[in-house]
Amino acid sequence: DDIFNKLIYKITRFIHFLKIYNVIFIPFLGESNAGKSTIINGIIGKELLPTNSNECTKRGILINYTPDETIIYNAKLKEEIDLTGQKNYYFSASVTSNDIIGRGDNKVKDILNSLNSDFNLKEENSFYYIQTRIKLFDDIGLNESLKEMIYLIDFPGFGTGNVFEKRNTYGKVMSICNTFIFVVRNTLIRENSSQRKLQSLFTQAQMQKKKLS
């Protein structure tokens, strides 16, 4: 609890510092079973994302605030090339009533728990987009416009054969993020592995020719 409270304090400071941006993306990165989804569940104040002893998150998940019921849509990470030939990345989602694939906490949990572990390589840029009430934002008194600017991103954990790693999706997303939270399990045995993976992520992001903030 003490570690979680310290993390919440740091996230709160991040948010107030980053509110100079029009959109704030905060990705949670780390190895499989490090506790990324558990931390996000603590932030939103309910057990929405799947968590257990096995790898749970099979697809990237964007989480955005709404005061209304929980809704889930499909989203894509897309790229565009500007006049200088540089690639830029952005998230795209259609959020009309016809595009809703699930309503309510229980239905969203069912959808997330039903993802096939054999994730199709053709879907490496596919995300889920969830709108739900985020308890932390209410607790720290953020105004409504700032709440809606912030997107939490839950990534699949690092691992052999991970689609995100194969297609550099981590680096693409990090190139548009304002900050990130790197989650490491409380053990020293994999510390060096985690550090190497983090360095690799920075390299990937730099290869996207975007400056990390």
Side-chain angles (χ1 to χ4, degrees), residues 7-207:
L7 176 60
I8 293 302
Y9 172 75
K10 289 183 179 295
I11 292 173
T12 302
R13 293 196 63 186
F14 280 151
I15 290 171
H16 286 291
F17 174 74
L18 295 170
K19 63 185 179 182
I20 59 174
Y21 297 97
N22 292 325
V23 180
I24 302 171
F25 292 109
I26 306 178
F28 288 73
L29 305 166
E31 296 188 357
S32 300
N33 198 30
K36 301 178 295 297
S37 298
T38 299
I39 291 172
I40 295 176
N41 281 338
I43 291 171
I44 64 180
K46 52 191 172 185
E47 297 296 318
L48 189 64
L49 307 182
T51 58
N52 57 42
S53 59
N54 299 316
E55 183 179 356
C56 299
T57 305
K58 307 298 184 183
R59 177 185 294 188
I61 302 171
L62 288 166
I63 303 167
N64 186 227
Y65 181 91
T66 180
D68 305 316
E69 70 172 333
T70 300
I71 298 176
I72 186 169
Y73 307 88
N74 284 310
K76 285 281 189 180
L77 178 66
K78 296 186 175 182
E79 72 175 42
E80 61 181 4
I81 300 177
D82 62 22
L83 295 177
T84 67
Q86 178 172 301
K87 291 181 180 180
N88 299 296
Y89 299 95
Y90 64 96
F91 288 107
S92 175
S94 181
V95 291
T96 68
S97 58
N98 293 329
D99 298 304
I100 295 172
I101 59 175
R103 287 181 179 272
D105 291 350
N106 290 333
K107 179 61 177 179
V108 170
K109 284 192 287 188
D110 288 343
I111 292 171
L112 297 178
N113 279 306
S114 67
L115 275 179
N116 192 321
S117 59
D118 297 325
F119 192 55
N120 193 322
L121 277 173
K122 294 180 180 178
E123 298 185 280
E124 78 274 3
N125 291 327
S126 295
F127 285 73
Y128 278 132
Y129 172 41
I130 297 174
Q131 292 181 316
T132 190
R133 182 178 289 275
I134 299 175
K135 184 175 183 295
L136 174 64
F137 296 175
D138 290 332
D139 289 348
I140 64 178
L142 295 183
N143 62 52
E144 294 301 312
S145 60
L146 184 54
K147 290 176 184 177
E148 294 172 1
M149 287 168 49
I150 302 169
Y151 293 80
L152 308 177
I153 307 177
D154 189 15
F155 274 118
F158 308 145
T160 304
N162 187 301
V163 173
F164 277 61
E165 293 182 62
K166 286 183 176 180
R167 298 303 178 96
N168 292 328
T169 308
Y170 286 119
K172 293 175 184 177
V173 174
M174 285 183 68
S175 72
I176 62 174
C177 291
N178 314 89
T179 186
F180 70 93
I181 295 173
F182 190 67
V183 182
V184 182
R185 279 185 284 179
N186 187 23
T187 175
L188 297 178
I189 191 169
R190 306 190 70 169
E191 182 178 1
N192 290 335
S193 172
S194 296
Q195 291 173 348
R196 287 194 299 270
K197 189 60 65 176
L198 182 57
Q199 181 59 50
S200 173
L201 288 176
F202 276 115
T203 301
Q204 288 181 25
Q206 290 165 353
M207 288 174 63

